[in-house]
Amino acid sequence: MTNPARVRVAPSPTGDPHVGTAYMSLFNKALADTTGGQFLLRIEDTDRSRYVADSEQQIFDALAWLDLTPHEGPHVEGPVGPYRQSERLPKYKEAAEQLLKEGKAYKCFCTSERLATLRKIQQAEKSKHIGYDGLCRGLSEDEVKAKEAAGESFVVRFKMPREGDIQVEDFFRGTLKFTAAEQQDAVLLKTDGFPTYHLAMAVDDHAMGITHVIRAEEWIPSLPLHFELYRAFGWEAPVFAHMPLLRNKDKSKISKRKNPTSLLWYRDAGFLPEALRNFLSLMGFSMADDQEIFSYEEFLKQFKLEKVNIGGPIFDLQKLHWLNGEYIRALEPTELEKRLVEYVKLLMHREKEFADLPEEELPTEQFLRDFEQKRRTRSRVLAQLAPQMMTAYETNPKLMLPIIPLIRERMHTLGEAADYLPMFFSDEFSYTPDDFVQKKCTLEQAKTALGAMREIVESADFNDPEAAHAQMDETSRAKAEELGMKLGPFLGPVRMAITGSKVSPPLMESMLVLGKDETLKRLDNAIAKLA
RNA sequence: GGCCCCUUCAUCUAAUGGUUAGGAUACGGCCCUUUCAAGGCCGCGAUACGGGUUCGAAUCCCGUAGGGGUCACCA
């Protein structure tokens, strides 16, 4: 049996909650949950210039939305807090002083101007080693004192070993070998007294009892630094497991311009959290029996860190789209009703956010481009419909449920409800007579069909929906045949009259949901329009 | 460019040295059908390349190529 793992995710509150944070959270939490350990959230807010005020709350909400709530964190009381680095400053200062005292770090008075110039020269010379040249590493005690006395500001840099190799184990890759001489003396403490990520991470992971650092591959280059930092403090290093990076379609690291990265985007587009979570677990992991749709609990039954596939997976929105549709269809109608109502409320009063994107800002990838355009239109439709829909729903709570079975197998995202929902709440259609002329249906035939359908509806008993459906279906077929038409073309104008569109949920069912009066009204409206 | 990582269908992936290289998405076709879907069936489609090791390699080793990450007082 494995020992309980204490793991963490450590995002910085610099913007929208990132899909990569969710991805890392999922695998970290899975390790904690399969070993009886804990998954912590630590906020890495040591960069004051990039700090975004409500970002932290967003991160927490997004994780909760995905049901990946941490066991400990700023919002969940835990034994090793605070879980916000800005509240742990003395610990970092103390750690830096310890290294300073032991001669494992040094004060560096180089200005950012000198550093910039240095970098420029190195680049111009095509120098192999680009980075800090270690100038202040050789400063004598007196020189340091003099500079301090003169009020020169300084950073604290770590003395990296300069000879030999630095070998570090990666859980997936085995031993990773780095040349010490190529490493640089990283900054541990900035001029403003805040630690850099490197120092804070080591201090906190140690203090918080972190056993496994499961993080993205992009951290591998700083692995030797982190390892040496642990060594300098005399602490046992955690297990490092570098997960692959989520990728854009062109295989580059997932980025805003090429792929939605904000978890808020997925929520706003109407993806279900459990579907997104499921999809994310498919990135680098697969179930033994080829199962692709599974709950978190099922995932845990098979989860093993060593089963993770390390090749960088491309985030395929199209597959998520399919998976989300599967989840929507698997929902109980009452549950889907609930989600839909919540979703519509979420969009309410937000029309302005969903204005069309100018051509040049649209993503270039075809599927995403189309989806994003439609998504904005749909969001606007629902946002506008929301007030009257909610009023109608609150007046008559039984309104929504019968609609669900008609629309759910046509949806892949909650947002796609916008394509089918409006007709149930409004009969103000913008059709023209031309819209009634369709394939294999002339204007005259359309008029006749509408009139015929009016009679059919009139004589149906809507109080017995099943019988009414059967009867309307039967008589429609008979009437169509009598008119020498196929059923499809015969129903075309009727569909336009009832739904205002050539594409809609099944007609008879829709009419039954609308009720006899409304159905007749709509038929009359259409007949009047064509007169 | 230096360093490091990665490499099975277009995409996500399976295959503990022996499989007709399997599944899913997407795509194409057929069926179902009241439009659109959903669903069912069928099809298309991969071990990057070159050397080894081995009776036998997608699998182990070496090289090449390609892709990616990273080179901040950001994380």
Side-chain angles (χ1 to χ4, degrees):
Chain A
M1 198 54 206
T2 336
N3 291 328
R6 271 177 79 78
V7 294
R8 46 63 166 188
V9 66
S12 57
T14 51
D16 283 358
H18 199 274
V19 66
T21 302
Y23 180 47
M24 292 323 309
S25 296
L26 174 64
F27 281 81
N28 271 286
K29 188 171 158 79
L31 183 69
D33 286 346
T34 50
T35 59
Q38 299 82 34
F39 164 58
L40 344 195
L41 170 65
R42 186 174 66 225
I43 298 296
E44 310 242 331
D45 54 350
T46 55
D47 185 351
R48 293 177 306 169
S49 63
R50 293 206 307 159
Y51 183 76
V52 176
D54 57 344
S55 180
E56 177 187 316
Q57 187 61 42
Q58 301 265 29
I59 290 168
F60 191 80
D61 291 347
L63 289 181
W65 178 63
L66 286 162
D67 204 12
L68 294 172
T69 302
H71 299 114
E72 298 170 26
H75 306 263
V76 191
E77 220 31 62
V80 295
Y83 295 85
R84 222 173 259 123
Q85 291 188 326
S86 59
E87 294 169 13
R88 303 171 65 82
L89 261 22
K91 296 177 199 293
Y92 311 127
K93 191 152 270 181
E94 194 184 317
E97 268 159 24
Q98 182 193 330
L99 292 181
L100 238 23
K101 204 183 305 164
E102 293 172 1
K104 293 171 177 168
Y106 60 95
K107 291 177 180 171
C108 169
F109 298 87
C110 294
T111 60
S112 41
E113 289 74 32
R114 180 177 117 74
L115 263 20
T117 315
L118 181 67
R119 212 172 301 133
K120 232 177 243 170
I121 294 170
Q122 287 169 335
Q123 272 161 2
E125 289 176 349
K126 301 207 168 165
S127 170
K128 285 195 173 182
H129 303 316
I130 295 175
Y132 185 58
D133 57 0
L135 180 71
C136 295
R137 183 162 170 160
L139 249 33
S140 72
E141 236 170 274
D142 289 344
E143 287 172 311
V144 171
K145 269 184 193 152
K147 282 178 184 285
E148 274 190 279
E152 284 187 41
S153 60
F154 63 86
V155 300
V156 175
R157 283 186 188 271
F158 184 59
K159 273 191 194 169
M160 279 295 274
R162 291 197 154 162
E163 278 163 33
D165 289 337
I166 301 169
Q167 301 197 1
V168 197
E169 290 296 312
D170 174 82
F171 182 85
F172 300 114
R173 289 158 254 254
T175 305
L176 265 27
K177 211 158 94 177
F178 303 87
T179 308
E182 288 167 0
Q183 306 302 315
Q184 354 176 352
D185 293 346
V187 172
L188 299 181
L189 221 50
K190 305 181 232 180
T191 324
D192 63 4
F194 275 64
T196 58
Y197 166 82
H198 309 293
L199 208 221
M201 174 227 70
V203 168
D204 288 345
D205 281 347
H206 176 255
M208 294 178 175
I210 297 302
T211 59
H212 296 68
V213 172
I214 303 172
R215 52 158 38 162
E217 194 179 11
E218 58 184 329
W219 292 106
I220 290 181
S222 54
L223 186 56
L225 202 216
H226 298 165
F227 181 76
E228 287 299 327
L229 222 31
Y230 273 93
R231 230 162 58 91
F233 283 118
W235 299 331
E236 191 189 341
V239 173
F240 290 102
H242 292 92
M243 294 280 293
L245 243 17
L246 259 21
R247 313 291 187 102
N248 297 317
K249 211 151 205 147
D250 64 5
K251 300 200 187 221
S252 57
K253 168 164 99 169
I254 197 164
S255 64
K256 209 173 171 179
R257 273 276 76 93
K258 297 175 181 173
N259 210 337
T261 55
S262 169
L263 293 170
L264 302 177
W265 185 90
Y266 292 92
R267 188 200 57 186
D268 288 354
F271 287 95
L272 304 184
E274 59 269 47
L276 179 56
R277 191 230 76 240
N278 188 156
F279 180 70
L280 251 15
S281 58
L282 251 17
M283 305 277 89
F285 184 86
S286 70
M287 300 288 264
D289 46 5
D290 282 334
Q291 195 184 351
E292 298 214 272
I293 302 177
F294 48 84
S295 66
Y296 181 67
E297 287 64 36
E298 291 172 293
F299 175 56
L300 287 187
K301 278 186 196 151
Q302 292 199 25
F303 176 80
K304 273 202 179 88
L305 204 49
E306 40 283 50
K307 281 177 70 177
V308 171
N309 178 333
I310 231 178
I314 289 167
F315 191 100
D316 183 1
L317 189 64
Q318 211 166 354
K319 184 154 184 175
L320 171 60
H321 189 250
W322 161 78
L323 188 63
N324 203 61
E326 294 292 312
Y327 268 86
I328 283 178
R329 263 164 265 123
L331 249 30
E332 289 296 323
T334 51
E335 178 62 20
L336 180 54
E337 175 191 28
K338 196 181 118 203
R339 306 276 190 122
L340 218 39
V341 170
E342 281 167 8
Y343 180 70
V344 170
K345 280 184 186 160
L346 176 75
L347 298 183
M348 192 146 40
H349 306 311
R350 289 175 59 194
E351 287 97 320
K352 288 199 183 97
E353 285 178 47
F354 307 115
D356 282 331
L357 233 33
E359 180 71 15
E360 64 275 15
E361 279 180 49
L362 279 169
T364 48
E365 196 270 310
Q366 195 61 53
F367 180 82
L368 177 56
R369 187 190 183 85
D370 291 349
F371 184 82
E372 178 62 3
Q373 269 173 320
K374 280 188 254 168
R375 174 205 155 234
R376 286 172 174 269
T377 312
R378 287 166 176 151
S379 300
R380 265 182 273 134
V381 167
L382 288 181
Q384 276 162 15
L385 188 67
Q388 79 185 96
M389 205 174 127
M390 286 306 127
T391 308
Y393 180 64
E394 274 152 31
T395 314
N396 178 11
K398 288 182 183 166
L399 200 64
M400 199 73 147
L401 196 55
I403 301 173
I404 301 294
L406 304 188
I407 66 173
R408 74 164 175 177
E409 61 196 30
R410 271 150 259 266
M411 297 163 58
H412 296 88
T413 59
L414 295 177
E416 284 162 43
D419 299 348
Y420 309 104
L421 227 38
M423 59 155 283
F424 292 105
F425 297 91
S426 164
D427 57 6
E428 283 165 37
F429 302 133
S430 56
Y431 51 56
T432 66
D434 282 346
D435 291 323
F436 290 83
V437 181
Q438 297 174 19
K439 228 182 272 174
K440 300 196 178 165
C441 180
T442 64
L443 185 61
E444 281 314 304
Q445 284 175 312
K447 285 181 185 175
T448 315
L450 290 173
M453 185 56 79
R454 199 191 186 292
E455 282 175 34
I456 291 169
V457 169
E458 191 81 74
S459 63
D461 177 12
F462 273 44
N463 292 321
D464 185 349
E466 216 164 294
H469 185 281
Q471 194 200 333
M472 290 195 292
D473 188 78
E474 207 175 304
T475 46
S476 296
R477 282 172 202 281
K479 195 70 195 175
E481 196 174 343
E482 186 188 317
L483 296 170
M485 298 173 79
K486 294 238 182 209
L487 188 60
F490 174 77
L491 293 177
V494 179
R495 187 180 307 282
M496 184 57 67
I498 302 299
T499 73
S501 169
K502 286 179 185 172
V503 176
S504 82
L507 244 195
M508 311 295 176
E509 284 88 337
S510 299
M511 296 193 292
L512 288 165
V513 167
L514 288 170
K516 192 178 220 171
D517 291 348
E518 181 64 23
T519 300
L520 288 173
K521 182 179 158 206
R522 292 185 184 196
L523 286 169
D524 288 338
N525 285 349
I527 289 165
K529 187 89 183 179
L530 294 190

